[in-house]
Amino acid sequence: MAVDEIPVAGIGPGSQPVEADDTLEYIDMPRGMATYQRPETPQPEAVQHLAGAREAMAWVQQTLDHYRAGGQTRLADITGLDRDNRELVNQILGEGDVSLKYSGNRHVDIQEAVLAGVWRTLHLDKDGRISRDLIEVGEVPFLSLVRDEAASLSADQLTAIEAPAEVMNAMPILTELQEQQACHKSGQEAHVINLTLLPLTEADTTFLEQTLGKGPVEILSRGYGDCQMISTAIPHIWWVRYRNSMGKLILNTLEVVDVPIVACAAPEDIEDSAVRLREILEPYWKA
């Protein structure tokens, strides 16, 4: 996938993003419905000299303006920006409700901006320091669609496993998952198995978790309560758990899908993001 390079003016000492405290961290779960809040930004006259951030925001605005539903995710590399420019980028974009961790053949933290469809993607080295800093625009981050092939399992193995005697109802679920995964095509709507409605024992759940394994992607969507989406070791099979604002599990599903829809920015929300970003940037960098 092509990555756009953001032209930067500030190159020199301090331009490399090596500060460990720049990494994104998940915040505590909210206890009410999350709504859009405009990010707090500095006074325009204080940042007129930050040309790198200006170029980055111009790229985001243009990409949002031209984005169409189902379009390919676009990426821009801002690793070369110095600390002040990256800090302004972070202030303007803010922090939204969806965060993602990728821990396959690389370690990456991704945080949705307060603008739906805009993502901050930080590649981390073995010491947890930022080695690459990206902005993405799209319904989902690029890495949410990437699988670690070395750690993946084949769906054909699901029904070849012999279940322990105490497992009661897990095997029919594995059979259904295998059939649906085999015929799944990219872009299809999710096939959902609602485990909440099924008579599963603790042994069933444990057997399903062990058999499906854990993939490289974990997504957390926060709003009224939270939704945790974990990719399994079988491509296109996700374990999705919804909890209310008190932390109680209210819906437990297995989904055959590219990425669960709750993690995706809706096309109309991306259109709104283009409008909102223009309003945020309006006071800045006027001719």
Side-chain angles (χ1 to χ4, degrees):
M1 171 173 289
V3 179
D4 294 297
E5 295 284 349
I6 297 296
V8 295
I11 299 295
S15 65
Q16 294 303 312
V18 298
E19 299 85 4
D21 59 359
D22 278 355
T23 57
L24 300 179
E25 296 180 356
Y26 296 156
I27 62 174
D28 293 335
M29 297 302 140
R31 291 296 180 243
M33 180 65 73
T35 58
Y36 170 76
Q37 292 185 350
R38 180 169 173 153
E40 295 184 7
T41 52
Q43 293 299 316
E45 58 271 16
V47 296
Q48 290 296 311
H49 63 291
L50 298 178
R54 177 180 185 173
E55 293 291 339
M57 290 301 98
W59 178 88
V60 175
Q61 184 68 71
Q62 183 180 39
T63 306
L64 285 172
D65 288 340
H66 291 89
Y67 185 83
R68 296 295 178 265
Q72 188 179 46
T73 299
R74 294 285 305 280
L75 299 87
D77 192 333
I78 63 169
T79 308
L81 293 180
D82 62 25
R83 185 182 181 92
D84 289 342
N85 276 280
R86 287 187 293 109
E87 183 177 349
L88 179 57
V89 168
N90 290 335
Q91 287 178 309
I92 292 173
L93 295 182
E95 186 173 299
D97 294 334
V98 181
S99 51
L100 181 151
K101 283 186 178 294
Y102 185 91
S103 47
N105 51 9
R106 69 196 89 173
H107 294 280
V108 184
D109 284 350
I110 302 175
Q111 177 67 53
E112 185 184 33
V114 72
L115 303 166
V118 181
W119 311 84
R120 294 288 286 110
T121 299
L122 303 179
H123 290 246
L124 309 177
D125 64 19
K126 59 183 178 60
D127 297 318
R129 298 178 184 272
I130 299 170
S131 61
R132 198 176 187 197
D133 190 342
L134 307 175
I135 303 174
E136 301 189 51
V137 174
E139 295 172 22
V140 294
F142 174 69
L143 279 178
S144 64
L145 300 169
V146 175
R147 299 291 173 264
D148 185 352
E149 297 298 333
S152 294
L153 300 176
S154 171
D156 296 337
Q157 304 175 34
L158 292 180
T159 54
I161 299 173
E162 184 175 350
E166 62 271 20
V167 172
M168 305 295 293
N169 298 305
M171 289 308 298
I173 294 173
L174 293 178
T175 299
E176 183 175 352
L177 288 172
Q178 178 178 292
E179 293 174 351
Q180 292 297 323
Q181 197 269 357
C183 64
H184 175 76
K185 295 181 180 180
S186 181
Q188 281 185 338
E189 291 186 4
H191 177 82
V192 180
I193 301 176
N194 189 343
L195 303 179
T196 311
L197 302 178
L198 300 178
L200 294 181
T201 65
E202 184 175 342
D204 285 318
T205 300
T206 300
F207 179 69
L208 286 172
E209 290 176 340
Q210 292 174 344
T211 303
L212 294 174
K214 190 176 185 299
V217 182
E218 181 173 353
I219 305 174
L220 181 65
S221 177
R222 299 158 295 187
Y224 182 74
D226 70 277
C227 177
Q228 182 187 43
M229 295 151 275
I230 299 176
S231 65
T232 69
I234 312 293
H236 308 305
I237 298 180
W238 295 76
W239 204 308
V240 183
R241 296 179 173 93
Y242 297 81
R243 290 180 171 83
N244 63 17
S245 60
M246 302 301 293
K248 180 180 179 181
L249 183 66
I250 57 175
L251 183 61
N252 188 14
T253 66
L254 284 166
E255 301 188 12
V256 181
V257 68
D258 294 338
V259 179
I261 192 170
V262 70
C264 303
E268 56 270 24
D269 290 338
I270 297 179
E271 292 178 8
D272 288 343
S273 292
V275 176
R276 287 170 172 168
L277 180 59
R278 188 171 289 106
E279 292 173 349
I280 293 170
L281 296 180
E282 194 276 333
Y284 293 91
W285 302 298
K286 293 182 178 180

